[in-house]
Amino acid sequence: MRRRTILQWPLLAGAAGALPILTASPALAAETRPCLLVSGNDFDELRGRAATEPWKSWKSAAISRAGWEYIANADASARSKRIAEIASYSSLAYILDAGENAPVHAQKVLQMVGRLRQEISTPGVINKTQWGGTVPQANALFHLVLGLDVVHAALTSSERTTAETQLGEIAAIFADFDSFPSWTAAPIGAYGTWLAYRVTGGGGTADLAALGRTIGELEKHLQSVMGKSGAYLAAPTYVGHRLGSPGDRDPKSYFVDVLSREPKLYSSVPGYRDYYQDPQYQKAIEFYAGYLTTPVTRRLPRRRLTAEANVTVRGGKYAGDPGESGGLLHAKVDEPDFTRECYLRFDLGDLTADQVVTVRLRLYVKEVGADGCRLEVSQVGDVWPENVSWSGRPAAKALLGRWIPRTRFVAELDVTTAVRDALATGSRKFSVGIRSSVAGAERFAQVFSRQPNTADESSSVPRLLVNTTTDVVARDEYTFGDSATIGGAVSRSARTYSAYRFSTAAGSNAAWSLNRVTIAPLPMMTTYALTAEAPSPTVAVPSRVFPDAGAWFLQNSHDQRALAGALWNAVKDGGHQHRDTNSLHLAAYGEHVLRNSGYNGYPYPAVGFTYAQMRDLAVLSNTGLIGYEPSFADFAPPSLNNHVRTYGAGIVEDLMWGGIDYATGDSGGALPNGRHRRSLVFVHPNTGTQGYWTVFDEFTEVSGAGPVGLAWHPNSASDPAADPAMADYTFPVDVDPCTDTGVKLTAFLATPPSQVHVKSGPLADWTDGHLGRYLYVTYPLDAAARKNAVTVLFPSDDVHPKAAMSRVGGTGYSGASITHTSGHTDYAIESKGSSEITIGNVTWQGWAAWYRTTGGASPTTVDVTNYLVRKGRTLRWREYGFETDSYVSILAKGRGGQVLNTTGRDITVTFYHPALSLVRLDREPAATTASGSGWRSVIVSAGRVVFELVTT
């Protein structure tokens, strides 16, 4: 490999302000190229990887795509994206496709340098106010610099000089970071990579200083969007794309690898950071790799078949008239002249019966008559023109299903068997007819046709969603802020494969997130070079609290049916956030059972709700509100007493012990008229007991009138089965289901509400958005202008039965008993904490308690196997339990647990247990202030301690 001194290209204005234009300065010793992401010494090892998967497939794909051509007639964003990909594929192919093809690949990189130089010279291509005029071009520069570094030895001196001159001109556009109002990480990473090329090529002291300032700008950017815990405080979809670009914004993600792969290259750079060893960035990658992804695994349908024909036919005196195929499709039964039916036909193409896994018919309902409607969907004959009349309409073959639609409803029907049977008989078409089964002038339904009237309706055309055996599989993500469950980066990003470079935990988390995933990352240089070991699942992602972002509680399992949930409470706005402080997302048995409003892309609406509504209205996510009028129209929630900002005060308490996870989020200033503290308790599944969640909501410091309200958004388009006592609301999980096991979610309102409203809200998921049904539950304030409420969220399916739940209440407290098939009974109770409460034979005092009992209700046999007390002073049964002279939070199982003392001072805690001889705190004998038979009082310092009760 050649050594050389780099051409000194002038450096222009930089991110930290106006930098002087620099001329040639004393050169450093040039490094051997390549050196940025790979070195020449790595080539043999890189080629050797291709003997096994996934590198074997990546090599084949990269060499094939290196032959792609530039597309001149695409838009500017797509042209730059193409340049980046060709540059990366060609530079990787240069290494892997050695021999006579290597010079061809090198020349391809050189050609793309010229193409990008031509691009940026075109007026309007660089637009610093638009993503498409900033990020794709920065991405192309990034990959061209890496590519030039790799193919360096195959170019003549003249070719290298020309390429470096052109890249310098391009890089200068990105040097003034402050001139970019958004997407700053892309210019930083692209320009920084160019500076790294200069420094390693023998650049002068000015290059070192400029790279140091660029690293400083990167740090400033990261600190603006990250918490001290390492959590990236933006919507999960955007966190994934920023930390783990799937190929279209790589300078945001992989500039840190350029800096960290070989630290000695940058030993003279002021402010240099090795991000592979940086504790905060390590935590950020651990967060990315394990806490954006749910256990839910989805087969992504590659085939979304739009109807090839559709028509509305009209009866009576119009029976012989041609049908109407544009605009809206109609179904109505009335007097003959006003009766209408509609028909749709789909071309199945080259599908075969043995390829089909599932097929869903999806229609978008625009409007339903005032008196409602019932629709019947039947399979019909396939031979009819699009202007067929009522008299010539196709005959029904078989009833496929029924719908009770609503306005802006997304109607889906499983038609797998019918389509598979049609294919088995040689048919290439599939047709359905839709009619109303109830009569009346105001009993009609209007459905969007395949010919939308407006651009906004283009995503609402009738479709068959076909899953086949060749579909790729990806993992779904959480819906906080501008995030959808599908389309996340973690499943398809090279970063997930190379996360192990930052820490063992990051690598382990990534392997968990990639388990069962078959979607492949783009075979770019960043993918192949940075992945030296294939992810292999070892341990499951553990429950973890990021105090400035939220709490993620996960069942210890690699199974896609495992339970997982998160309580979101960021302490600052890291971008693309919603007003959803203290919101929840829960997954169980292979489905999302509780989720938030979601995302359809900026700034697009979904199912009748604007982007601004989904972003700004807290009621459209799983949140709490104060004084929010409950009788609002579904599609026009009010802004009065809405959340006023996108962030809160973070997670203020957390404990995890013995199969129970607990955390409390504090709304801080998110609500304009009070404070909302939400505690999430995850009860892990165990032998004989199902996993579920209990939510304790506390509203305090209320100014103005109530009521307080809680919004619960199950992943359901259906109304719940409800009992008349306004306690038990069970929803079928029927929005984009991934399983066929009848998953349901029960919201058990343990604290009696004043009102329960079932409303319609958005469940946006890019083009797969649905109109969901949700609960808005209100509670009156008490005399002290406070309110506590307990809600049990219990998932079930055909295999995991729902527990028997009943309300438990009395003066000053309310809650639920949850009885499992094993006979264990759990209690979840709230109170004001001012007095002791006895339920059965357990006495406690505190703001909230959860505990599990066995042995029945007899005073001599009842036992508490686990307990949690939030802000409490005691929990006692028989000769067991604890007391304290202050308020603590405590979580225990058997003879061990954790105590959280938030008083800021030492307190005394008395533990009770037969034959108790010693109390250990954090493994050390505790200072005992008093003791007796079966009890000991010890000093507990401020903070969190682990206790152990030692018996003789």
Side-chain angles (χ1 to χ4, degrees):
M1 299 296 167
R2 303 181 185 179
R3 292 180 179 269
R4 57 183 299 282
T5 300
I6 195 170
L7 172 73
Q8 290 294 313
W9 182 258
L11 296 176
L12 304 181
L19 299 177
I21 296 179
L22 303 173
T23 55
S25 56
L28 304 170
E31 296 292 334
T32 301
R33 295 214 181 273
C35 63
L36 295 182
L37 215 56
V38 297
S39 74
N41 295 331
D42 298 330
F43 280 15
D44 287 343
E45 190 273 331
L46 291 169
R47 293 165 185 152
R49 293 180 193 175
T52 58
E53 294 292 355
W55 300 274
K56 182 178 180 179
S57 295
W58 292 346
K59 172 186 174 180
S60 175
I63 292 173
S64 173
R65 297 181 188 193
W68 283 1
E69 296 297 332
Y70 172 77
I71 304 176
N73 60 355
D75 62 44
S77 175
R79 293 197 303 269
S80 293
K81 181 176 185 292
R82 188 75 159 193
I83 290 170
E85 291 183 345
I86 292 174
S88 192
Y89 299 146
S90 297
S91 57
L92 180 56
Y94 172 82
I95 299 172
L96 304 179
D97 192 22
E100 62 183 17
N101 290 329
V104 176
H105 298 311
Q107 287 299 310
K108 202 66 173 287
V109 174
L110 201 63
Q111 292 170 18
M112 292 303 106
V113 173
R115 286 291 188 187
L116 186 60
R117 180 64 185 87
Q118 184 180 32
E119 280 288 310
I120 67 164
S121 300
T122 303
V125 169
I126 295 294
N127 183 342
K128 296 183 178 182
T129 65
Q130 296 291 327
W131 187 93
T134 300
V135 178
Q137 294 76 21
N139 192 49
L141 171 62
F142 174 78
H143 282 290
L144 287 169
V145 174
L146 294 181
L148 184 61
D149 180 59
V150 168
V151 305
H152 184 273
L155 305 179
T156 67
S157 176
S158 174
E159 288 172 332
R160 290 195 300 270
T161 299
T162 299
E164 288 168 355
T165 300
Q166 292 176 330
L167 289 176
E169 293 170 349
I170 297 166
I173 294 172
F174 297 100
D176 185 5
F177 309 137
D178 288 340
S179 67
F180 293 89
S182 191
W183 319 290
T184 313
I188 290 172
Y191 185 62
T193 301
W194 168 243
L195 290 173
Y197 180 92
R198 290 172 60 85
V199 166
T200 57
T205 55
D207 299 296
L208 293 169
L211 182 55
R213 284 191 292 269
T214 301
I215 294 171
E217 287 299 310
L218 174 61
E219 277 300 299
K220 185 170 73 173
H221 167 73
L222 291 175
Q223 296 309 314
S224 73
V225 295
M226 287 170 55
K228 293 180 180 179
S229 69
Y232 203 114
L233 305 181
T237 290
Y238 281 85
V239 175
H241 282 80
R242 290 172 181 175
L243 294 178
S245 165
D248 58 352
R249 58 202 84 189
D250 287 358
K252 294 183 178 184
S253 304
Y254 302 108
F255 176 42
V256 296
D257 296 271
V258 172
L259 293 172
S260 307
R261 189 194 71 84
E262 193 60 73
K264 69 179 183 180
L265 298 178
Y266 310 104
S267 58
S268 299
V269 175
Y272 168 74
R273 298 180 79 92
D274 178 354
Y275 286 92
Y276 288 165
Q277 304 301 321
D278 181 86
Q280 188 178 24
Y281 206 84
Q282 288 174 332
K283 293 175 184 176
I285 299 300
E286 292 167 10
F287 178 72
Y288 157 87
Y291 300 97
L292 306 183
T293 306
T294 71
V296 177
T297 304
R298 184 179 304 277
R299 187 183 294 271
L300 302 178
R302 288 180 175 174
R303 301 181 189 240
R304 295 170 177 265
L305 307 180
T306 301
E308 69 166 14
N310 54 214
V311 64
T312 298
V313 297
R314 188 172 179 180
K317 65 182 180 182
Y318 304 102
D321 291 355
E324 299 177 355
S325 59
L328 296 172
L329 303 175
H330 301 260
K332 180 179 181 180
V333 174
D334 198 3
E335 297 178 10
D337 290 352
F338 298 100
T339 296
R340 296 174 175 86
E341 296 176 358
C342 58
Y343 297 85
L344 304 99
R345 185 174 64 237
F346 298 86
D347 185 345
L348 301 178
D350 60 353
L351 270 176
T352 60
D354 59 353
Q355 284 181 316
V356 172
V357 177
T358 61
V359 185
R360 288 175 289 151
L361 171 65
R362 177 180 290 175
L363 301 179
Y364 292 83
V365 180
K366 181 177 182 181
E367 185 177 356
V368 173
D371 295 334
C373 185
R374 294 176 181 268
L375 298 180
E376 290 184 349
V377 184
S378 299
Q379 186 177 3
V380 301
D382 299 320
V383 181
W384 43 272
E386 197 165 18
N387 65 348
V388 68
S389 67
W390 174 278
S391 298
R393 70 193 191 279
K397 293 181 178 180
L399 179 67
L400 298 174
R402 295 179 173 88
W403 283 320
I404 302 177
R406 295 185 300 275
T407 294
R408 304 182 192 181
F409 178 68
V410 182
E412 285 193 351
L413 186 66
D414 189 324
V415 293
T416 304
T417 301
V419 170
R420 193 180 284 139
D421 289 348
L423 291 168
T425 60
S427 177
R428 311 282 1 125
K429 309 289 183 181
F430 179 71
S431 299
V432 297
I434 302 173
R435 63 180 295 272
S436 175
S437 61
V438 291
E442 288 297 323
R443 290 186 175 276
F444 64 84
Q446 298 176 343
V447 177
F448 288 109
S449 76
R450 73 184 187 93
Q451 298 112 329
N453 288 323
T454 67
D456 285 347
E457 296 173 1
S458 61
S459 62
S460 300
V461 297
R463 288 190 174 91
L464 284 183
L465 304 183
V466 185
N467 280 118
T468 71
T469 54
T470 60
D471 288 343
V472 294
V473 174
R475 295 281 286 272
D476 281 4
E477 298 185 352
Y478 294 95
T479 53
F480 302 117
D482 281 349
S483 290
T485 63
I486 59 176
V490 176
S491 288
R492 54 194 177 94
S493 170
R495 169 55 73 224
T496 316
Y497 287 80
S498 59
Y500 70 92
R501 290 182 175 270
F502 295 87
S503 72
T504 301
S508 177
N509 289 356
W512 179 87
S513 290
L514 288 173
N515 192 27
R516 299 182 303 277
V517 169
T518 62
I519 190 171
L522 294 179
M524 303 176 85
M525 178 65 74
T526 44
T527 305
Y528 196 103
L530 294 174
T531 307
E533 56 187 57
S536 178
T538 52
V539 298
V541 170
S543 295
R544 184 165 172 177
V545 172
F546 296 82
D548 41 24
W552 279 259
F553 295 156
L554 297 95
Q555 182 182 349
N556 182 21
S557 174
H558 290 278
D559 197 302
Q560 68 194 57
R561 296 163 296 182
L563 275 62
L567 166 63
W568 174 255
N569 191 314
V571 299
K572 60 184 176 183
D573 193 330
H576 290 277
Q577 291 179 199
H578 290 185
R579 298 186 186 185
D580 56 2
T581 294
N582 277 337
S583 59
L584 302 176
H585 183 121
L586 308 177
Y589 309 132
E591 304 286 359
H592 305 282
V593 294
L594 191 77
R595 49 155 300 179
N596 298 296
S597 59
Y599 189 48
N600 193 33
Y602 178 82
Y604 302 111
V607 293
F609 291 84
T610 67
Y611 169 76
Q613 285 179 307
M614 292 186 289
R615 178 193 64 199
D616 294 340
L617 295 174
V619 74
L620 299 181
S621 292
N622 297 296
T623 60
L625 299 106
I626 300 172
Y628 198 77
E629 172 53 48
S631 59
F632 57 85
D634 286 7
F635 295 95
S639 58
L640 181 65
N641 292 330
N642 182 40
H643 286 204
V644 293
R645 67 185 192 190
T646 60
Y647 55 93
I651 302 299
V652 294
E653 285 197 5
D654 67 273
L655 296 167
M656 287 179 276
W657 189 271
I660 305 298
D661 298 340
Y662 152 77
T664 299
D666 188 330
S667 67
L671 280 69
N673 50 358
R675 187 174 292 264
H676 174 216
R677 293 181 182 89
R678 167 166 282 178
S679 297
L680 176 65
V681 178
F682 174 39
V683 182
H684 287 247
N686 209 334
T687 302
T689 58
Q690 304 302 113
Y692 67 96
W693 301 270
T694 294
V695 184
F696 296 101
D697 287 294
E698 301 161 0
F699 294 90
T700 60
E701 303 171 32
V702 175
S703 61
V708 300
L710 300 175
W712 301 114
H713 291 262
N715 197 32
S716 179
S718 302
D719 285 343
D723 71 6
M726 295 193 299
D728 188 306
Y729 293 82
T730 299
F731 288 85
V733 176
D734 55 10
V735 169
D736 282 343
C738 298
T739 67
D740 59 1
T741 57
V743 178
K744 299 179 177 66
L745 179 70
T746 296
F748 186 81
L749 311 182
T751 301
S754 54
Q755 297 182 48
V756 178
H757 298 261
V758 181
K759 294 182 175 292
S760 293
L763 300 175
D765 239 341
W766 302 109
T767 57
D768 288 328
H770 283 259
L771 189 68
R773 298 290 274 170
Y774 72 97
L775 300 181
Y776 187 65
V777 186
T778 61
Y779 301 86
L781 292 170
D782 64 16
R786 295 177 54 183
K787 186 62 184 180
N788 294 348
V790 182
T791 307
V792 179
L793 299 171
F794 202 101
S796 59
D797 68 359
D798 295 344
V799 179
H800 304 88
K802 172 182 166 183
M805 291 177 277
S806 300
R807 282 181 176 153
V808 175
T811 302
Y813 72 94
S814 67
S817 64
I818 305 102
T819 300
H820 302 269
T821 55
S822 63
H824 293 79
T825 296
D826 303 340
Y827 291 86
I829 315 292
E830 63 76 26
S831 82
K832 300 300 186 295
S834 56
S835 59
E836 291 188 353
I837 294 166
T838 299
I839 301 173
N841 293 285
V842 178
T843 297
W844 71 281
Q845 181 179 352
W847 292 7
W850 176 95
Y851 55 91
R852 171 164 289 170
T853 65
T854 62
S858 168
T860 60
T861 61
V862 66
D863 194 19
V864 175
T865 61
N866 309 61
Y867 66 83
L868 163 72
V869 176
R870 164 169 160 73
K871 298 294 186 185
R873 300 186 68 170
T874 186
L875 188 143
R876 294 286 309 277
W877 76 101
R878 292 165 51 200
E879 301 90 10
Y880 302 84
F882 83 96
E883 289 179 347
T884 179
D885 58 358
S886 187
Y887 283 85
V888 300
S889 293
I890 184 168
L891 176 58
K893 181 178 182 179
R895 291 185 290 117
Q898 294 179 327
V899 177
L900 184 61
N901 172 11
T902 60
T903 64
R905 55 181 174 80
D906 290 350
I907 62 172
T908 300
V909 178
T910 301
F911 292 98
Y912 296 87
H913 194 287
L916 180 62
S917 61
L918 177 68
V919 177
R920 290 196 180 103
L921 299 179
D922 289 339
R923 300 184 179 181
E924 297 294 330
T928 301
T929 60
S931 64
S933 177
W935 64 271
R936 297 182 79 86
S937 298
V938 299
I939 300 297
V940 176
S941 300
R944 182 196 316 268
V945 296
V946 174
F947 72 86
E948 178 189 359
L949 307 182
V950 180
T951 59
T952 56

